[in-house]
Amino acid sequence: MIKIPKPSYLDFDKDKYPWKADINYRKQPGDYKVGKGEQGVLICEPYKTEIGKHWRFKNAEIATISSEKLFELFTQYLEINDFVGADMARKFLQMGYTRSRRYANYKGGRKYDKTKEYFPLERGTGDPEKAISATIFYKKWKAAEANPIYSKLKADWKKYRG
């Protein structure tokens, strides 16, 4: 019998998740964890609200406007030495890439069929225009990660705060 991998969110333990919706991470930046990839991006306020309203990837034109605005916010947060804001903006850029790729790979962005015990759906059925959006976000995401100020702040943050 072939074991089909299940989505990781099925075994999600909310109590063990280090990011909490009731924390203001601007007022309590010490509670922020960098984590892996995009973790915490849809929880950490006030950044989620400030940054999230600019996050769009419907087509190349919208993805370009969105990624440029997110990168601008990333830079502004760095200018005021707000690492948490910069990291959150970087995460939204990364999420622009990953979500665009998901929609490029799978029709409607759905990877699993919920009606058949999360059986993986056919890859290659998605929207080719989303692949262009993904490329646009990828470039900005990698530019953010390559920023030497951000890289230093991130390394220091992870060393001292996690």
Side-chain angles (χ1 to χ4, degrees):
M1 183 166 119
I2 298 172
K3 183 168 172 77
I4 299 170
K6 302 279 189 255
S8 61
Y9 56 80
L10 291 179
D11 296 323
F12 180 71
D13 186 347
K14 187 178 175 183
D15 294 329
K16 290 184 180 176
Y17 199 57
W19 298 273
K20 307 294 180 208
D22 61 347
I23 295 175
N24 180 322
Y25 287 92
R26 178 168 288 129
K27 291 180 180 176
Q28 295 176 250
D31 290 343
Y32 181 78
K33 304 289 183 219
V34 173
K36 182 178 178 183
E38 304 155 17
Q39 290 179 326
V41 74
L42 297 176
I43 292 178
C44 297
E45 290 290 5
Y47 303 102
K48 170 192 153 187
T49 300
E50 289 174 7
I51 302 166
K53 64 185 172 188
H54 302 290
W55 179 66
R56 303 285 180 269
F57 57 91
K58 185 176 182 177
N59 58 43
E61 181 182 352
I62 290 170
T64 298
I65 293 166
S66 176
S67 66
E68 287 174 358
K69 179 62 179 176
L70 296 177
F71 193 81
E72 177 185 318
L73 289 170
F74 168 81
T75 304
Q76 288 173 356
Y77 287 125
L78 284 181
E79 286 172 359
I80 60 171
N81 202 31
D82 183 346
F83 171 73
V84 178
D87 196 50
M88 288 289 293
R90 188 266 315 155
K91 287 180 181 197
F92 270 98
L93 288 166
Q94 181 177 359
M95 193 166 66
Y97 166 70
T98 59
R99 294 309 182 279
S100 294
R101 283 300 330 154
R102 171 75 62 88
Y103 280 83
N105 292 335
Y106 300 97
K107 184 177 181 181
R110 295 178 192 254
K111 190 173 180 179
Y112 299 100
D113 183 348
K114 291 181 182 180
T115 63
K116 296 182 182 178
E117 297 188 25
Y118 294 93
F119 189 81
L121 293 170
E122 184 181 353
R123 190 178 171 114
T125 57
D127 180 354
E129 187 164 15
K130 296 296 189 295
I132 299 166
S133 294
T135 300
I136 291 164
F137 273 101
Y138 184 83
K139 289 175 183 175
K140 290 292 187 184
W141 165 38
K142 290 303 177 180
E145 285 195 333
N147 180 293
I149 297 168
Y150 170 76
S151 297
K152 170 96 171 81
L153 289 173
K154 183 178 179 180
D156 290 347
W157 194 278
K158 287 178 84 168
K159 182 178 180 180
Y160 298 110
R161 299 184 184 198

